[in-house]
Amino acid sequence: QAPTIPDAPATPARPLLSVTDADKVDGMVQVFDPDEIMVDAELFQFKAGGDEFGVTERLQGVKQWDPIAAGQIVVYEFADGRKFIADGHHRLGLAKRIKSQDPKQTIQLLGHTLREVDGITPDMARVIAAVKNIKEGTGTAIDAAKVLRGAPDRAGELPPRSALVQQARGLVFLDDDTFGAIINNVIPASYGAIVGRLIPDNPGLQKNAIQVL
């Protein structure tokens, strides 16, 4: 016997609160066009470089967009509406490149938006993205250091015995310029952690040590 299906929906339709709600899944995850998202590697503290789209050598041969492998990104939206990638810059760069080279492919990114109008600052967005990476198992010592440097009150969310967290405790003592050198692979994070532990309060000596290394 066929099931009885009512003509009216079982739950009321959720009204759209704004025109952008049409691009949201369940009001939480949003669908993004890669071209609407910009990149600021310095502000959001991730490694710059790659090709003109920011795609590194590891992804150079990828020509077909895989929405499942792409996962979800984190976007930061300023009060004036500008959107920047906070987490997922490699995926964004790949999406931009494939869309440019093969317009026939449908390229969309799924992710969450952190908004300045909601009281979230770029510093807070960096920490949120770093914690996300660590909880997903893709985090690095640099991610852990971002948490410890930007939001020490969230240190309890990090696995205390993990090697990357132990390394991050040394990176916390680096000044911003020296920490930026670690992000951009001028020296390995492990060396930076040693510099931070040995020279915790002298940015000048830290820079000299980095240059020697």
Side-chain angles (χ1 to χ4, degrees):
Q1 184 178 358
T4 302
I5 302 176
D7 294 330
T11 57
R14 184 177 64 87
L16 296 180
L17 301 179
S18 70
V19 293
T20 60
D21 268 13
D23 289 331
K24 295 177 182 175
V25 181
D26 195 27
M28 296 290 293
V29 180
Q30 188 168 350
V31 180
F32 296 97
D33 180 335
D35 292 337
E36 70 179 305
I37 307 172
M38 295 179 281
V39 177
D40 189 330
E42 182 176 357
L43 179 61
F44 291 100
Q45 293 185 347
F46 50 75
K47 183 182 176 182
D51 62 13
E52 62 180 304
F53 299 100
V55 179
T56 58
E57 184 176 349
R58 181 173 64 88
L59 296 174
Q60 284 296 336
V62 180
K63 297 182 179 180
Q64 186 71 32
W65 180 248
D66 184 344
I68 296 177
Q72 293 186 15
I73 61 174
V74 177
V75 172
Y76 184 78
E77 182 178 319
F78 284 94
D80 60 9
R82 291 176 299 139
K83 297 183 178 71
F84 285 84
I85 192 72
D87 179 62
H89 60 286
H90 291 308
R91 283 164 285 172
L92 174 63
L94 180 63
K96 287 177 178 285
R97 191 191 70 187
I98 293 177
K99 183 176 180 180
S100 173
Q101 295 177 349
D102 186 2
K104 293 182 180 179
Q105 292 192 50
T106 300
I107 312 293
Q108 294 179 321
L109 289 160
L110 297 179
H112 294 267
T113 303
L114 305 175
R115 295 182 175 83
E116 186 177 26
V117 295
D118 294 330
I120 299 175
T121 66
D123 288 347
M124 294 166 67
R126 284 199 301 264
V127 170
I128 291 169
V131 170
K132 168 183 173 290
N133 287 334
I134 293 168
K135 288 184 175 181
E136 289 178 346
T138 59
T140 64
I142 291 174
D143 285 318
K146 288 178 184 178
V147 177
L148 297 176
R149 290 164 67 91
D153 57 305
R154 298 190 66 172
E157 298 181 44
L158 306 181
R161 297 184 180 180
S162 126
L164 66 86
V165 173
Q166 295 298 323
Q167 197 174 97
R169 296 192 187 283
L171 298 175
V172 167
F173 296 109
L174 299 177
D175 76 305
D176 290 344
D177 289 340
T178 308
F179 187 58
I182 306 300
I183 291 173
N184 284 296
N185 285 348
V186 175
I187 67 167
S190 57
Y191 289 10
I194 294 171
V195 171
R197 286 197 300 269
L198 296 179
I199 317 172
D201 301 315
N202 194 319
L205 285 179
Q206 289 180 2
K207 291 175 183 176
N208 291 339
I210 295 297
Q211 290 173 355
V212 171
L213 294 171

